[in-house]
């Protein structure tokens, strides 16, 4: 890709983000403006803002990368991400807005009158937020590295600096305008190039099948292996090798590799003939393509699919940067209308990443071997169209990708900083919120520089699993079950969310190696951790009936009665 176009496009997006954020700062006057935009954000603006922050690195780059590597099974990602909002609409959106809370810990305390549950909820908000921030920073680093050969850490640092400045200066009011602007930018940045890519594919003399199994090289292709890897062959393969394979050095000779596993040393160049199937590749635990999740999908595809569905369907409602936006709605009806609009906006967007993944399987299959599958969206315009047109479309995609990192990171930083300010720092207020913003970004930025991690969609999927295992039971039972007690809520979050978090840590650390049942259980924890959380909350609550907070009936009435009806009832009570 020609970085002479792409790098200015990224710079333009950064400057536009700062200018839009500055506009929000000009009209941000009060503390309520800072935290919840004074609860005055209408459904259309709020829906665009929610969609802007929700469509993260996983949506923009990661889904296409997973479809490229593993085929149509990965279409469950966009389906799950979208359906999660339907669950949110049905069970949570309006009651959560009527709770009057600013954050998820505020909701926990309002519902259960327990400081301990509040602190535990705050800890999970911070954990999920940091886990979700990591792939945004890593995706930004990947984008600049692919575009201009920049160091892997540079993109993350740029996102961190811009987001910290916007959030600390203008709070929720600023990022609302930023995220709404960036949704439409991201949609345009994927839609316009996708139209040209599909037209070019249809005009190809031999368009082939986008989901052909397995992916094949449409023409002779040379692939340089920068990091050592293993190739798993289901059938014998003849390939030209310039380097070391299975401990033997070759100098541009054709080598016949039998069925099985073969070790390729770093620096080796492999040249594949036309119509050669792309072999499956694996790396060490520190490599971005190698975590156990990919292996678990191959070994236990049905279990992995159900684990993904449950995590994405139920995890959305507990994502801190999503939930906090519903507190900005004027009332419960506006929250529901916002959610309906979000379903339409993100549904339209999610039609596009699978197109890039399918075309990537045809035009850039070698990315599965180089470890750069997440870069397919960035590279396809140049690969398929080429010339100045391909460079310009690639620049548009690059700008959209950076908008994805900035918008999602803004929402996450806002949510985490709000919890740190209210529950960790010694005092509240805007000055301490700004300090909380620095802390909210510093930890994931440091982690992104030290940890390799997963493909971005997989990393986000793990954050969804933790969210589904901790906040989904708290919100659903807290809103709809009057017998929930503080000990039950705390036990459920600790058992469900804590076990999911441990499974995530093990997966990201590459433990255990070698596959097997334990491998799959840790790679896809939602299928057992979510039921475990619900069961624990219910059983412990039933065992502690005397701990049901006083006034629970009134609290639930506030959650479920429309604001106008509650006002009328209050007026009747005080009228002589």
């Amino acid at each position: 890709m020609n970085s002479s176009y792409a790098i200015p496009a990224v710079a333009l997006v950064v400057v536009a983000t700062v200018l839009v954020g500055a506009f929000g700062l000009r009209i941000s006057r009060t503390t309520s403006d800072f935290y919840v935009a004074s609860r005055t954000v209408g459904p259309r603006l709020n829906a665009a803002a929610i969609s802007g922050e929700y469509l993260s690195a996983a949506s923009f780059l990661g889904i296409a990368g997973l479809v490229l590597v593993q085929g149509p099974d990965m279409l469950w990602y966009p389906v799950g991400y979208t359906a999660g909002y339907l669950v949110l609409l049905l069970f949570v959106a309006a009651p959560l807005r009527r709770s009057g809370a600013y954050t998820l810990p505020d909701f926990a305390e309002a519902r259960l009158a327990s400081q301990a549950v509040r602190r535990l909820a705050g800890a999970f908000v911070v954990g999920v937020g940091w886990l979700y921030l990591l792939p945004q920073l890593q995706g930004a680093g990947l984008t600049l590295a692919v575009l201009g050969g920049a160091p892997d850490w540079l993109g993350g640092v740029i996102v961190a600096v811009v987001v910290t400045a916007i959030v600390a200066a203008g709070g929720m009011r600023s990022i609302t305008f930023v995220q709404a602007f960036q949704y439409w930018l991201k949609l345009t940045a994927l839609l316009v190039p996708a139209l040209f890519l599909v037209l070019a594919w249809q005009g190809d003399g031999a368009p082939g099948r986008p989901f052909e199994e397995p992916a094949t090289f449409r023409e002779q292709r040379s692939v340089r292996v920068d990091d050592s890897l293993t190739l798993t062959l289901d059938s014998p393969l003849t390939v030209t090798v310039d380097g070391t394979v299975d401990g033997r050095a070759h100098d541009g000779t054709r080598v016949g590799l039998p069925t099985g596993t073969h070790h390729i040393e770093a620096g080796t160049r492999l040249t594949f003939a036309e119509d050669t199937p792309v072999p499956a590749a694996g790396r060490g635990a520190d490599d971005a393509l190698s975590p156990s999740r990919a292996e678990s999908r191959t070994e236990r595809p049905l279990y992995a699919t159900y684990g993904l569905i449950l995590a994405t369907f139920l995890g959305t409602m507990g994502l801190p940067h999503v939930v906090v936006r519903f507190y900005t709605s004027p009332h419960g009806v506006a929250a529901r209308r916002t959610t309906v609009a979000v379903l339409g906006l993100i549904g339209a967007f999610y039609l596009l990443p699978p197109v890039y993944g399918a075309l990537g399987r045809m035009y850039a299959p070698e990315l599965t071997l180089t470890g750069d599958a997440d870069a397919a969206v960035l590279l396809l315009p140049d690969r398929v169209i080429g010339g100045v047109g391909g460079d310009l479309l690639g620049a548009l995609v690059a700008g959209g990708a950076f908008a994805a990192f900035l918008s999602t990171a803004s929402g996450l930083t806002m949510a985490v900083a709000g919890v740190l300010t209210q529950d960790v720092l010694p005092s509240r207020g805007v000055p301490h919120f700004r300090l909380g913003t620095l802390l909210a970004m510093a930890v994931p930025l440091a982690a992104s520089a030290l940890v390799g991690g997963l493909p971005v969609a997989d990393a986000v999927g793990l954050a969804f699993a933790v969210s589904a295992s901790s906040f989904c039971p708290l919100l659903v039972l807290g809103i709809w079950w009057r017998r929930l007690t503080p000990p039950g809520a705390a036990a459920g979050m600790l058992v469900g969310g804590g076990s999911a978090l441990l499974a995530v840590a093990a997966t990201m650390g590459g433990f255990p190696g070698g596959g097997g049942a334990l491998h799959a259980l840790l790679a896809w924890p939602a299928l057992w951790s979510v039921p475990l959380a619900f069961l624990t909350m219910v059983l412990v609550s039933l065992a502690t009936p005397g701990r049901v907070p006083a006034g629970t009936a009134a609290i639930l009435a506030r959650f479920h009665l429309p604001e106008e009806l509650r006002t009328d009832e209050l007026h009747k009570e005080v009228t002589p």
Side-chain angles (χ1 to χ4, degrees):
M1 180 184 293
N2 190 342
S3 59
S4 63
Y5 293 107
I7 297 299
V10 169
L12 185 61
V13 168
V14 172
V15 171
T17 299
V18 173
L19 292 177
V20 174
F23 172 75
L25 174 62
R26 292 182 58 189
I27 60 175
S28 184
R29 298 283 185 263
T30 65
T31 300
S32 182
D33 272 339
F34 215 82
Y35 284 110
V36 290
S38 293
R39 304 187 194 275
T40 57
V41 183
R44 284 183 293 183
L45 177 60
N46 213 11
I50 291 174
S51 301
E53 70 177 354
Y54 188 62
L55 299 172
S56 64
S59 301
F60 204 94
L61 300 180
I63 291 174
L66 289 177
V67 170
L68 188 161
V69 175
Q70 301 182 54
D73 287 349
M74 295 301 97
L75 295 178
W76 276 112
Y77 270 97
V79 170
Y81 289 155
T82 306
Y85 267 97
L86 181 59
V87 179
L88 183 68
L89 169 66
L90 295 175
F91 297 108
V92 172
L96 190 63
R97 167 59 189 88
R98 295 182 187 123
S99 71
Y102 282 87
T103 63
L104 277 168
D106 284 344
F107 169 83
E109 184 180 19
R111 171 63 177 85
L112 297 166
S114 170
Q115 280 292 323
V117 176
R118 177 193 179 94
R119 287 191 292 269
L120 185 59
F124 274 103
V125 166
V126 173
V128 171
W130 282 345
L131 187 63
Y132 210 146
L133 271 167
L134 271 174
Q136 314 311 315
L137 301 177
Q138 291 175 343
L142 171 69
T143 299
L144 288 191
V146 169
L147 296 180
D152 290 341
W153 53 266
L154 182 60
V157 169
I158 293 174
V159 168
V161 171
V162 173
V163 166
T164 301
I166 292 173
V167 174
M172 182 63 78
R173 183 71 76 178
S174 282
I175 69 170
T176 295
F177 292 110
V178 166
Q179 291 166 340
F181 156 72
Q182 287 171 335
Y183 168 77
W184 296 108
L185 174 60
K186 285 184 283 190
L187 183 64
T188 303
L190 276 192
L191 178 60
V192 173
L195 294 176
F196 284 94
L197 290 173
V198 170
L199 289 174
W201 167 59
Q202 289 295 319
D204 196 323
R209 291 179 294 158
F211 281 131
E212 186 175 357
E213 295 288 357
T216 58
F217 293 99
R218 302 174 69 250
E219 58 189 20
Q220 180 175 301
R221 178 79 65 184
S222 292
V223 179
R224 177 181 170 81
V225 177
D226 292 326
D227 298 307
S228 61
L229 56 76
T230 59
L231 295 183
T232 303
L233 303 180
D234 295 328
S235 60
L237 171 68
T238 300
V239 62
T240 301
V241 179
D242 186 1
T244 304
V245 176
D246 294 333
R248 298 182 60 182
H250 301 273
D251 185 14
T253 57
R254 290 182 64 78
V255 178
L257 302 177
T259 301
T261 300
H262 301 275
H263 182 73
I264 315 297
E265 293 290 344
T268 299
R269 182 176 295 277
L270 306 175
T271 302
F272 297 88
E274 182 181 353
D275 294 329
T276 300
V278 180
R283 291 172 168 80
D286 59 342
D287 187 273
L289 266 182
S290 81
S292 56
R293 290 166 71 82
E295 298 171 20
S296 297
R297 288 194 190 99
T298 303
E299 295 177 353
R300 292 171 173 79
L302 188 61
Y303 176 85
T305 297
Y306 282 124
L308 168 63
I309 290 172
L310 197 63
T312 52
F313 276 37
L314 301 183
T316 301
M317 70 176 67
L319 295 178
H321 64 304
V322 170
V323 171
V324 73
R325 291 227 59 97
F326 287 96
Y327 302 137
T328 66
S329 296
H331 41 70
V333 173
R336 280 205 176 99
R337 289 174 179 169
T338 296
T339 311
V340 172
V342 168
L343 278 168
L345 293 178
I346 65 175
F349 180 92
Y350 278 133
L351 295 173
L352 300 173
V355 172
Y356 285 84
L359 293 176
R361 291 174 67 81
M362 297 176 56
Y363 292 96
E366 76 281 359
L367 295 179
T368 64
L369 303 179
T370 62
D372 295 325
D374 286 333
V377 172
L378 303 171
L379 297 176
L380 275 174
D382 178 64
R383 185 69 58 85
V384 178
I385 297 173
V388 175
D391 292 338
L392 291 174
L393 292 174
L396 180 59
V397 171
F402 231 75
F405 312 140
L406 290 168
S407 58
T408 301
S410 297
L412 288 165
T413 303
M414 181 77 202
V416 174
V419 170
L420 292 175
T421 303
Q422 296 191 46
D423 298 304
V424 177
L425 297 178
S427 59
R428 303 181 182 184
V430 172
H432 287 84
F433 175 84
R434 289 173 174 148
L435 176 59
T437 302
L438 293 174
L439 294 175
M441 182 57 75
V443 172
L445 180 62
S448 69
L450 299 173
V451 180
L454 303 169
V456 290
D458 269 351
V460 169
L462 290 173
F464 270 73
V466 177
S467 171
S469 305
S470 52
F471 290 122
C472 172
L474 175 68
L475 288 167
V476 171
L477 295 179
I479 290 172
W480 297 98
W481 192 45
R482 66 178 61 246
R483 299 175 67 180
L484 182 66
T485 65
M493 282 194 291
L494 281 173
V495 172
S499 60
L501 197 58
L502 290 175
V504 166
T507 299
M508 296 186 76
F511 174 84
L518 181 60
H519 208 196
L521 288 171
L522 295 178
W524 304 95
L527 205 56
W528 53 267
S529 59
V530 172
L532 185 61
F534 271 101
L535 183 63
T536 303
M537 277 196 189
V538 170
L539 292 180
V540 175
S541 294
L542 292 176
T544 56
R547 299 292 302 277
V548 175
T552 295
I555 293 171
L556 292 179
R558 187 171 81 238
F559 290 174
H560 295 286
L561 289 176
E563 287 83 350
E564 300 82 1
L565 181 58
R566 296 206 319 263
T567 302
D568 292 343
E569 292 298 321
L570 179 61
H571 179 72
K572 291 178 183 177
E573 291 178 8
V574 300
T575 301

